Amino acid sequence: MKRLIEKGLMFGNLFAVDSPALVERYNRALRHLTGLATALTEFHLDISGYSPEIGDELDDHHYLNHGGVNRQFILLSTEQRHCPLLNAEFSTSRDILRRFIEANEQQLFALTATDAVAGELENSVLAVSTPEHLFDIRRIVVEADTTAGTLAHAERLEALIERFMGEEDAWLDEALIGEMVETAKLTGDITRNPVRLRHVAFEQKNFWTAHFGGLYLFQDVKRSALIASTSKPVGRLPLNANLSLGDRKGIARFLRDNQLAEPIVKRHGADEVAILRQKMDFIIADALANDSVDLTDLSRSDMRRLAARYADSLPKEYEGLAAMVRWAETRGARPKIGLEHPSYFYLLRATDSPDRDLVNMLLAELTVLDVRQLFICHKEAFYRHYRTWPETKKAYVADLLAREYAMDKAGARAYLFGDEPDMNGGVPTTGLGARAGIRDDALGQDTQFA
């Protein structure tokens, strides 16, 4: 993994803690949450305040996330909102932390100027020992305060002020006035500078979790489903469908019924055909690497020329993509690609919906030969697969991602997956449809991409 770290593709974009003042604040927060402390004088943090260096030092990379639920966090700066979330147990955790920081940026900026803000993403369960417990995790409450208890003191002062204003002859109550003065010394003038954090509760209904080998839970859709990366959970679950990644027909039907996916290429001459060509290149690279071909300095043109020589090594995923590219670039017959065909999910991407990232994450795990989408949408799965690749493929993929993705992440995501989804609950305007000619064999008709 050293190659990925050197190229900024792993542990990249972390917040540097490199001053005695920041280290001291972090240790105050760490002791407050866990009773632990670090002896390191420099380290890096993700958005939650987790440090891989401290994880190594403590021999515990879950020191802020024991049990995989109710993740604790430490904020030293609002700049942490730009950082990734490492060792994620839930796909929603980073977005919740980012939205919390952005909604309270001014307050948090002031609070972290002199202290660390420590807290927890709290839900209604203490542990997830069975899949049924996942259905109890619907609302995440962000509990946060400084290590000095500034917010708690401010809340106490507000209550005292309200009592002072409401009680008759309260100005004669020396004990009340004295308590107000002493509390104000801890908070400052809250009438001019209110100390309060907003938007501290978030709904969590559709999400991915690393528990039980990886599960995608879709509850807030027309036809609910749980999709397991490995074996599907046993038991009666309150869902319309209980699936695994091997249930291709069920997953295709689920995506169609909920209008969660659409074809990448919908018509002749579409610009998006270049995305399919790039997927084909990744598949060629995989086949060449498995045949021990050195990929160093090979251009895409070089690899396409080599593809003819190694045609027998190319998988069926390549055949389906090539057929769709020919249709899109010519006036030939539209290919009939059934959902049992290995290329089926390579031809899809998520529709513009609040669940776009989650659906693209699911599609990435269904199309692991598309290494770029796997890296962008599902880093945990990417790192797991990366460890199994030949060295030549590791080098090729690392160089490609550093060259073509890391240089312009936002641009690459917009090109591959479209504009950012409507986070205000907008209804998708596009879904699965016949224009791409992807045949749904389970239903005996062309899937509709309307």
Side-chain angles (χ1 to χ4, degrees), residues 162-357:
E162 184 176 346
R163 177 182 162 192
F164 179 82
M165 299 298 291
E167 291 183 3
E168 187 176 354
D169 297 330
W171 59 278
L172 297 176
D173 189 336
E174 293 184 4
L176 174 60
I177 294 173
E179 187 176 358
M180 289 171 60
V181 171
E182 291 303 313
T183 306
K185 291 179 182 178
L186 300 173
T187 65
D189 186 353
I190 65 171
T191 60
R192 293 187 178 183
N193 302 294
V195 183
R196 186 182 296 110
L197 298 178
R198 301 179 292 111
H199 304 296
V200 294
F202 300 87
E203 295 296 318
Q204 175 174 287
K205 295 180 180 179
N206 301 339
F207 57 88
W208 169 88
T209 177
H211 292 280
F212 311 108
L215 298 174
Y216 299 84
L217 181 58
F218 292 87
Q219 301 175 88
D220 191 22
V221 292
K222 183 173 68 173
R223 300 286 295 174
S224 59
L226 183 145
I227 303 172
S229 295
T230 54
S231 58
K232 56 188 177 184
V234 177
R236 300 185 66 179
L237 303 175
L239 295 162
N240 296 118
N242 183 7
L243 308 167
S244 70
L245 292 184
D247 296 322
R248 297 175 62 87
K249 292 181 181 179
I251 294 174
R253 185 181 293 111
F254 163 77
L255 294 173
R256 182 206 61 195
D257 290 349
N258 293 293
Q259 293 187 306
L260 290 175
E262 65 181 359
I264 297 171
V265 175
K266 302 177 183 178
R267 62 185 183 277
H268 288 292
D271 292 339
E272 289 83 358
V273 71
I275 297 175
L276 300 190
R277 284 201 168 276
Q278 290 169 344
K279 291 174 183 281
M280 293 165 62
D281 291 339
F282 302 146
I283 294 173
I284 294 171
D286 179 75
L288 296 178
N290 288 335
D291 275 349
S292 302
V293 176
D294 185 1
L295 303 177
T296 306
D297 296 327
L298 284 184
S299 67
R300 284 177 171 167
S301 296
D302 294 332
M303 285 198 298
R304 288 170 188 171
R305 283 192 293 269
L306 284 171
R309 188 187 310 172
Y310 290 86
D312 292 340
S313 300
L314 295 176
K316 290 186 178 298
E317 287 89 344
Y318 184 90
E319 296 176 9
L321 286 166
M324 190 58 66
V325 167
R326 286 194 298 272
W327 170 77
E329 293 182 338
T330 68
R331 295 293 176 180
R334 185 173 61 193
K336 299 296 184 181
I337 299 176
L339 59 87
E340 293 291 352
H341 197 283
S343 68
Y344 181 85
F345 292 109
Y346 284 83
L347 299 165
L348 302 180
R349 65 181 173 189
T351 54
D352 181 14
S353 80
D355 295 312
R356 187 191 71 172
D357 289 347

Side-chain angles (χ1 to χ4, degrees), residues 32-45:
H32 175 74
L33 292 176
T34 69
L36 303 172
T38 178
L40 301 178
T41 58
E42 292 185 3
F43 46 89
H44 297 81
L45 306 179

